[in-house]
Amino acid sequence: MQQTIKTTFLLLSDTHAKNGVAVPNLPVDVAIYCGDLTDGSKIHEFETTLALLRSIDASLKIVIAGNHDFTLDELVYKEKADTARRLFSITPELMRKEYGNPGGAQRLMSQESEGIHFLDEGTHCFRLRNSADLTVYASPFTPSIEADWGFQYKRGDNHDFAIPSKADVVITHGPPKVVLDPTNSRQRGGCEQLLAAVARARPLLHCFGHIHEGWGGKLVAWRGTEPSENPSHFTDIDNGASSVIETLATIEPRQSDSAEMKLEKECRRQRLTEEGYRRTSHCSQDEFPARKGQTTLFVNAAIQSGDEDGRPQLPWVVDIELPRSTEAGLETSSGLSRTAA
């Protein structure tokens, strides 16, 4: 019997509860939403995104929070509510009407109906309907200068991304440093500590969003069989053996492009837009397979555009191989059996 099973993922992030966001009308094994379900963390925005998630044809739908979803971070929500009351005379009644009670958004997202699983930071295990085992590490935390939104820490401070070596998939809101993290200000928006943690674990897939203009996919090849003592982009990534799958630079015309190149990119974007998603496969028989400990597929699945035109960016559909389950059931980090409905 084959020891691995081809598993199809739908990846998206950062819809910010905007109207008109479309998801592919095709069945997948697992859908993953990498945070920023809302723009201002209002209850009606959570309900909009939940309706989007319910429309996805997947038996398992994994969701994490992003920095915009600050009411899911109860301490931050209470601080913002107190500031609104003191500085702007906004009453608690109005706050509850727009944002819900403290803990209300968490309860809404944690109902686990229609295959939706809202994950806190940590490691979680699932038995999929296709009989594959899936181990994910999830974290909503991102670095920030002010760290005054949800699930943030000050850039330069240490955050422990405790990714286990057994993780097949890493789901974070933000990107690692220097991988699909360019910003319009020409700065890198990713996290060095996250890159080091992913380099140590070397999962099959790492998906995220947050930096809208970093949309894209890249198969990263790791140097050697073991991570370095202090992993970094320079010491642990083999750029020569890595492959860019797609980025905005490959589908968005630039001023420096020739007329022929501009036309080629416009045609490519049009084809992808008509399909409604960007698909890529990295199974053992493919040209560029994702192999545990050797290569990791990184995907920035931010839907909201980082460009001035504001056109929504495409979700990703990804095929990778997961280990076939050999057990009757799996235990999650909370000690409860989790099987995709």
Side-chain angles (χ1 to χ4, degrees):
M1 181 182 295
Q2 192 174 3
Q3 298 303 306
T4 59
I5 299 177
K6 178 180 176 180
T7 304
T8 302
F9 292 80
L10 170 65
L11 310 176
L12 68 162
S13 184
D14 297 80
T15 63
H16 292 278
K18 301 299 182 185
N19 293 321
V21 173
V23 292
N25 183 26
L26 78 164
V28 297
D29 297 300
V30 183
I32 298 177
Y33 193 113
C34 305
D36 276 2
L37 298 90
T38 69
D39 196 47
S41 210
K42 296 182 178 180
I43 286 294
H44 75 86
E45 294 178 320
F46 285 107
E47 292 170 343
T48 295
T49 301
L50 279 170
L52 178 72
L53 289 164
R54 293 188 187 107
S55 73
I56 297 173
D57 187 358
S59 56
L60 176 62
K61 305 166 190 180
I62 296 174
V63 184
I64 68 168
N67 58 300
H68 278 255
D69 311 318
F70 63 83
T71 54
L72 292 169
D73 187 333
E74 288 193 41
L75 288 177
V76 171
Y77 180 28
K78 289 176 181 178
E79 289 173 0
K80 285 187 175 293
D82 183 60
T83 299
R85 178 185 57 80
R86 288 186 294 103
L87 299 184
F88 306 106
S89 300
I90 296 177
T91 65
E93 290 75 20
L94 182 58
M95 287 293 294
R96 284 195 294 270
K97 180 181 178 181
E98 293 291 328
Y99 301 97
N101 290 313
Q106 182 84 23
R107 288 189 291 274
L108 180 66
M109 293 304 304
S110 300
Q111 294 175 358
E112 295 196 357
S113 62
E114 299 185 56
I116 299 171
H117 291 254
F118 178 74
L119 303 187
D120 293 323
E121 185 173 51
T123 303
H124 309 262
C125 301
F126 299 89
R127 158 76 79 80
L128 304 184
R129 182 175 286 177
N130 69 354
S131 298
D133 284 346
L134 172 63
T135 300
V136 304
Y137 173 82
S139 177
F141 286 90
T142 54
S144 171
I145 295 175
E146 299 296 334
D148 56 353
W149 285 73
F151 305 99
Q152 290 192 320
Y153 54 94
K154 288 190 176 181
R155 190 172 290 279
D157 288 353
N158 184 55
H159 184 81
D160 182 19
F161 293 98
I163 306 173
S165 59
K166 68 178 182 179
D168 303 300
V169 176
V170 172
I171 308 166
T172 58
H173 179 50
K177 187 69 173 287
V178 199
V179 182
L180 302 173
D181 68 334
T183 66
N184 288 333
S185 62
R186 300 185 182 277
Q187 302 294 315
R188 290 289 186 173
C191 175
E192 292 180 1
Q193 290 131 355
L194 177 57
L195 176 62
V198 174
R200 292 187 186 99
R202 301 187 174 190
L204 293 168
L205 171 66
H206 180 194
C207 52
F208 45 87
H210 187 49
I211 306 298
H212 301 171
E213 50 269 49
W215 178 94
K218 182 176 182 179
L219 186 72
V220 164
W222 301 106
R223 294 184 186 275
T225 58
E226 298 291 336
S228 63
E229 184 177 352
N230 296 298
S232 71
H233 177 72
F234 297 105
T235 59
D236 288 70
I237 292 179
D238 186 343
N239 286 302
S242 300
S243 304
V244 173
I245 310 302
E246 197 89 80
T247 66
L248 291 179
T250 63
I251 60 173
E252 292 286 357
R254 298 292 192 256
Q255 191 171 13
S256 58
D257 290 338
S258 65
E260 182 180 6
M261 180 60 72
K262 287 180 180 178
L263 179 60
E264 181 179 329
K265 288 183 178 182
E266 288 169 355
C267 290
R268 180 166 182 76
R269 172 153 186 166
Q270 182 61 33
R271 288 196 302 270
L272 290 173
T273 300
E274 290 172 358
E275 292 172 359
Y277 54 91
R278 176 59 165 93
R279 185 156 200 162
T280 186
S281 183
H282 300 274
C283 298
S284 55
Q285 76 278 10
D286 293 319
E287 182 180 5
F288 300 108
R291 292 194 174 100
K292 192 79 169 68
Q294 300 178 41
T295 56
T296 297
L297 176 64
F298 290 85
V299 175
N300 182 328
I303 300 298
Q304 182 162 305
S305 174
D307 292 338
E308 293 181 358
D309 65 13
R311 290 182 292 179
Q313 297 167 169
L314 297 174
W316 284 74
V317 176
V318 170
D319 297 321
I320 59 173
E321 291 173 333
L322 294 178
R324 180 182 295 275
S325 179
T326 58
E327 302 177 23
L330 288 177
E331 296 300 309
T332 66
S333 55
S334 62
L336 299 174
S337 178
R338 262 190 179 164
T339 302

